[in-house]
Amino acid sequence: GEGKWLGVQTDVYLLGSTLYFLLAGVAPHQGDNLLAVIFQALEGERPPLPDTVPAELAAVVDRAMSREAEARHPSAEAFRLAVQEFLEHRGALALVEQADDRLADLERLLATDERDGLVAAASAARFGYTQALVAWPESVAARQGLDRATARYAVWSAQRGDLATAEGLAAQLSEPSAEVEAALETAREELRAERERLQDLERLGHDLDARTGQRTRLIVVGTVMATWMVLPLTAHFVDGMATYP
């Protein structure tokens, strides 16, 4: 009965209640009598919206029906624009939801250390989020999902030793990831260690070849010298035998 409390925020609340009814099929506040309904409204109690209602649209309802008037949309026009924004972006939101499912597949495969289907799940998740961002560049959910899928795939690639792929994925992140950087540094250290090991093996092989070549040259020189010394003696004995009476 105090009209001074009625105003724009009351209209926003009623608009939110109307949208709630359209989505849930029932009024947000129910009771056996008017007093019970008013008490529910006063306490801000209402059943949650069905799971089939997109989270972004449910957030519009929740804000409009906030218990504190200051937390609601500032005007009926602002409420309308919020609903319109959802309608314009619902295609992108659907893509985000599908990509979320693929991201869940990717994380499950990573947790169980399964390789079959992992690359496909990562690619599908990244593709879905990318398409959502094409449709709605300002989508925070799509950007966060893309970064998470990219980071997870980058870490996995680095752990497998595929440093080029991991570095390429890391460069696509909207902001640096400590987890990705740590995985890259570990992969780089392992690569450096492997290169040093190969260089040591190459030096060892070169040294062995050099020593082998030296022994070969000594054998050849020794053979030539022995032949040079033996041939005159052989000739002398042959000549002696030829002149012996």
Side-chain angles (χ1 to χ4, degrees):
E2 298 192 28
K4 67 178 182 179
W5 298 109
L6 302 178
V8 173
Q9 300 304 315
T10 308
D11 295 335
V12 171
Y13 186 92
L14 294 174
L15 286 171
S17 299
T18 302
L19 180 56
Y20 179 100
F21 179 81
L22 293 174
L23 296 172
V26 295
H29 307 301
Q30 303 177 44
D32 296 332
N33 52 60
L34 180 58
L35 184 61
V37 173
I38 293 175
F39 182 79
Q40 281 193 8
L42 181 63
E43 295 297 320
E45 297 178 359
R46 63 179 183 275
L49 287 166
D51 293 338
T52 55
V53 176
E56 287 74 12
L57 186 56
V60 174
V61 174
D62 289 340
R63 181 181 179 186
M65 297 186 67
S66 295
R67 190 171 183 273
E68 302 297 331
E70 297 78 7
R72 301 170 194 164
H73 299 85
S75 65
E77 175 65 10
F79 174 83
R80 184 189 70 81
L81 291 175
V83 175
Q84 180 179 327
E85 183 179 28
F86 165 77
L87 294 175
E88 291 175 350
H89 298 149
R90 57 183 169 180
L93 294 171
L95 288 171
V96 169
E97 290 181 357
Q98 294 173 7
D100 285 343
D101 291 339
R102 302 291 76 76
L103 177 57
D105 292 339
L106 171 62
E107 295 187 326
R108 176 183 56 79
L109 292 170
L110 289 170
T112 56
D113 198 24
E114 296 181 39
R115 296 183 59 178
D116 292 343
L118 192 148
V119 174
S123 299
R126 283 168 37 79
F127 178 79
Y129 290 127
T130 300
Q131 292 304 303
L133 285 170
V134 170
W136 185 11
E138 296 81 14
S139 174
V140 175
R143 172 54 60 188
Q144 291 178 343
L146 180 58
D147 279 346
R148 182 168 181 80
T150 301
R152 299 291 280 160
Y153 192 23
V155 170
W156 181 76
S157 298
Q159 291 172 344
R160 291 180 62 246
D162 189 352
L163 187 57
T165 297
E167 290 177 333
L169 291 167
Q172 298 175 31
L173 294 172
S174 61
E175 57 184 23
S177 165
E179 181 184 13
V180 173
E181 290 301 322
L184 288 175
E185 185 57 31
T186 299
R188 292 186 184 112
E189 290 178 359
E190 292 176 352
L191 180 60
R192 284 193 292 268
E194 180 64 16
R195 286 175 176 172
E196 291 176 359
R197 188 181 71 82
L198 291 175
Q199 289 174 354
D200 290 342
L201 289 175
E202 289 177 357
R203 284 192 292 269
L204 178 61
H206 178 74
D207 292 343
L208 289 175
D209 289 343
R211 287 195 292 270
T212 301
Q214 184 179 17
R215 286 197 298 271
T216 301
R217 288 192 296 271
L218 289 174
I219 292 172
V220 171
V221 171
T223 302
V224 171
M225 291 182 64
T227 303
W228 180 76
M229 294 176 62
V230 169
L231 283 177
L233 293 174
T234 303
H236 173 75
F237 284 115
V238 170
D239 289 343
M241 293 175 63
T243 57
Y244 188 78

